[in-house]
Amino acid sequence: MPVTMANVSGPDLCGALEDDARTLAELVGPAEEELAGLPLPGLRDEAQRQLAASLVDSCRRARTAFLHRHAPAVYDALTDRRRTPLRLAELARAGAERFPGLLPTDAQMAEEATRTQADKEGREIDQGIFFRALLADPSVGEHLIDSMLAPTPRALGLLSVFRAEGRVDLGAVLLERRDDVAHLTLNNQHCLNAEDNRLIDDLETAVDLVLLDDQISVGVVRGGVMTHPRYTGRRVFCAGINLKDLHAGRISFVDFLLRRELGYINKLMHGLLVDPSPDAYPERTLHKPWLAVVDSFAIGGGMQLLLVFDHVIAADDAFLSLPAAQEGIVPGLGNFRLSRMTGARLARRVILGGRRIRTTDPEAALVCDEVVASQAMDAAVEKAVRELAAPAVLANRMMLNLADEPRDGLRRYLAEFALVQARRLYAADVMAKVGRFSTPSVRQPADGGHAP
């Protein structure tokens, strides 16, 4: 019998985990079979679109109801009662295997990866439902945040080489130790340091290495010298999310949009977890002071980054912006952090209205600590590094960050962000806007990002 809204709209959940898991699988299985028989989303007629919408909506309501009852038990089943911490991608994969119908399978995600964003079924929304439920539970959410603060296997594998040589080229990020200072240079050259899956992975690896290396006292993040025709010979900080990759379906919800917030950005702010024990002494996490150096522009994710740094130096010909609302998505934790730095009114003008802040504007002082001429940047960096290396800075920046960003508030924001952002990725207005970046000739720079 064809699956319709009437016969998949209400799962009969009895309260027992395994029984409800079977009910969910029995409901979702036939719906998925019927959905698989439809044309690609962009090729469906009106009746097929309505059928697909009813199937998908009913399955998502069932998943939400299941997780509302069972999120802690699901998490415990996947992590061996929290004895085996899992990162986001590992959790999503384990959840799909252990609870059929709850999350997209590897095969379904592989199929999605072959499609443009507009032709996907939006299975990442199901991942958003899953992570929202986990993060919304205080105990589960705390454990998941801790799991994502641990060093990555890639960083641990590179640590001995970096300690010995003081340099590692990760691809999109060059990491160098000069004396006791780590210099992270963003070199995502093909897109003016726009953010993509590779950059997120390289940045988390680099941040881990800095925090693990006891020879380093301060970390500095700066954009590299570009080869792009419009910026040849100039440094660029970050052009924001790579919109061309987003249109092509190459921006991952789990490995990019969630991982950047729970991974390297959270580590910049709250440190690297090195001992998960609640009674760890003298500390559970490793911290370092961080300095950002902004040349040319910090757009989108680039501006979001500035909100977690201890000191920001910007060139006097640079600008800052958070254009995510104009593109239809949520600017990460920018909504969570910007208001406390700029006040609510300016934050709304920046996020909702697209207000661009030039570093010579008075408002720039709310985000940047220093604005200097380009030729004076190196000297300003050297001076700031020495100040950040003072012994008491480390303890005080940790306490300031705890006061500014209590873990429970962070967790609750991340829970809502997980679902809201996943849904925005597949909204019709977002598809229309990122479609402009489907060919290199549409906009300059031709290779993604937001830069003018």
Side-chain angles (χ1 to χ4, degrees):
M1 178 178 69
V3 180
T4 67
M5 191 67 150
N7 58 36
V8 298
S9 59
D12 183 16
L13 301 179
C14 67
L17 174 64
E18 298 303 334
D19 291 341
D20 285 353
R22 281 191 294 272
T23 299
L24 178 68
E26 291 167 359
L27 184 151
V28 171
E32 287 285 3
E33 289 179 9
E34 189 161 3
L35 189 65
L38 296 175
L40 291 176
L43 302 177
R44 292 168 186 166
D45 60 29
E46 182 58 30
Q48 290 168 333
R49 282 195 294 272
Q50 289 185 9
L51 174 60
S54 70
L55 293 167
V56 169
D57 183 73
S58 297
C59 289
R60 286 176 181 158
R61 290 179 186 277
R63 293 177 182 117
T64 301
F66 175 79
L67 287 165
H68 179 73
R69 285 177 176 264
H70 300 298
V74 167
Y75 189 74
D76 285 347
L78 301 180
T79 60
D80 187 23
R81 297 186 180 275
R82 309 183 197 184
R83 290 188 287 263
T84 305
L86 298 178
R87 289 175 60 84
L88 297 171
E90 295 170 326
L91 269 174
R93 185 173 295 110
E97 293 175 356
R98 174 66 175 78
F99 298 100
L102 179 60
L103 285 152
T105 64
D106 283 348
Q108 288 172 328
M109 292 306 296
E111 173 64 24
E112 290 277 86
T114 67
R115 303 178 181 182
T116 66
Q117 195 74 4
D119 273 331
K120 293 183 179 184
E121 294 290 354
R123 296 189 183 280
E124 289 171 314
I125 296 174
D126 300 312
Q127 295 175 329
I129 292 169
F130 176 69
F131 286 111
R132 181 201 186 197
L134 298 187
L135 288 162
D137 182 88
S139 178
V140 170
E142 278 287 308
H143 191 272
L144 177 52
I145 289 172
D146 271 356
S147 298
M148 288 299 294
L149 288 177
T152 63
R154 185 185 181 198
L156 292 173
L158 290 169
L159 182 58
S160 61
V161 173
F162 178 64
R163 279 176 169 161
E165 300 180 5
R167 186 182 190 277
V168 60
D169 190 342
L170 298 167
V173 176
L174 173 64
L175 174 60
E176 300 171 290
R177 185 181 61 242
R178 304 174 200 162
D179 297 324
D180 63 339
V181 180
H183 292 265
L184 286 72
T185 303
L186 310 184
N187 279 326
N188 217 14
Q189 289 280 347
H190 72 286
C191 54
L192 292 173
N193 285 335
E195 297 175 298
D196 53 26
N197 289 357
R198 183 181 75 160
L199 181 61
I200 300 308
D201 183 59
D202 287 355
L203 274 169
E204 184 166 11
T205 302
V207 168
D208 285 354
L209 290 171
V210 172
L211 292 168
L212 287 166
D213 187 349
D214 55 12
Q215 299 178 67
I216 292 171
S217 59
V218 179
V220 177
V221 178
R222 189 174 188 180
V225 177
M226 296 291 104
T227 56
H228 188 283
R230 294 185 63 192
Y231 294 88
T232 301
R234 294 176 56 187
R235 289 182 181 269
V236 166
F237 188 70
C238 179
I241 190 171
N242 190 319
L243 295 173
K244 185 180 176 184
D245 274 9
L246 179 56
H247 166 82
R250 294 193 295 264
I251 295 295
S252 167
F253 170 69
V254 169
D255 287 324
F256 180 146
L257 293 167
L258 273 188
R259 177 182 175 181
R260 76 187 291 272
E261 307 303 336
L262 283 157
Y264 86 92
I265 296 181
N266 207 25
K267 290 172 179 178
L268 289 170
M269 185 78 172
H270 295 295
L272 186 75
L273 184 74
V274 291
D275 188 343
S277 174
D279 59 354
Y281 180 85
E283 55 196 4
R284 301 179 73 233
T285 50
L286 293 175
H287 297 257
K288 301 278 171 73
W290 291 92
L291 168 68
V293 187
V294 180
D295 301 273
S296 300
F297 45 75
I299 303 174
M303 183 175 177
Q304 294 169 39
L305 268 181
L306 305 185
L307 307 181
V308 302
F309 278 83
D310 302 296
H311 197 86
V312 176
I313 300 173
D316 60 4
D317 59 353
F319 70 87
L320 322 171
S321 68
L322 277 176
Q326 284 70 54
E327 288 147 6
I329 59 176
V330 178
L333 268 70
N335 308 59
F336 182 65
R337 294 176 172 134
L338 187 63
S339 289
R340 75 165 178 263
M341 299 187 75
T342 66
R345 299 310 336 153
L346 180 57
R348 279 166 170 75
R349 289 198 293 273
V350 170
I351 293 173
L352 304 181
R355 164 71 187 276
R356 179 180 290 189
I357 300 175
R358 297 200 172 275
T359 52
T360 50
D361 294 342
E363 295 87 348
L366 299 171
V367 182
C368 303
D369 298 284
E370 299 180 66
V371 175
V372 302
S374 295
Q375 60 269 27
M377 294 280 275
D378 290 343
V381 170
E382 181 63 27
K383 179 176 179 291
V385 161
R386 298 279 61 91
E387 292 173 350
L388 288 173
V393 166
L394 196 59
N396 280 289
R397 61 92 61 185
M398 182 181 72
M399 300 308 293
L400 282 168
N401 288 345
L402 285 173
D404 284 342
E405 198 167 285
R407 284 280 292 265
D408 193 58
L410 173 67
R411 176 192 59 77
R412 288 186 287 111
Y413 179 94
L414 285 166
E416 294 308 308
F417 170 77
L419 182 54
V420 170
Q421 186 74 303
R423 295 185 65 196
R424 291 308 304 161
L425 280 179
Y426 294 93
D429 61 305
V430 174
M431 295 300 97
K433 290 167 183 173
V434 301
R436 295 176 298 164
F437 295 86
S438 59
T439 59
S441 61
V442 174
R443 184 181 178 187
Q444 293 293 330
D447 34 22
H450 309 266

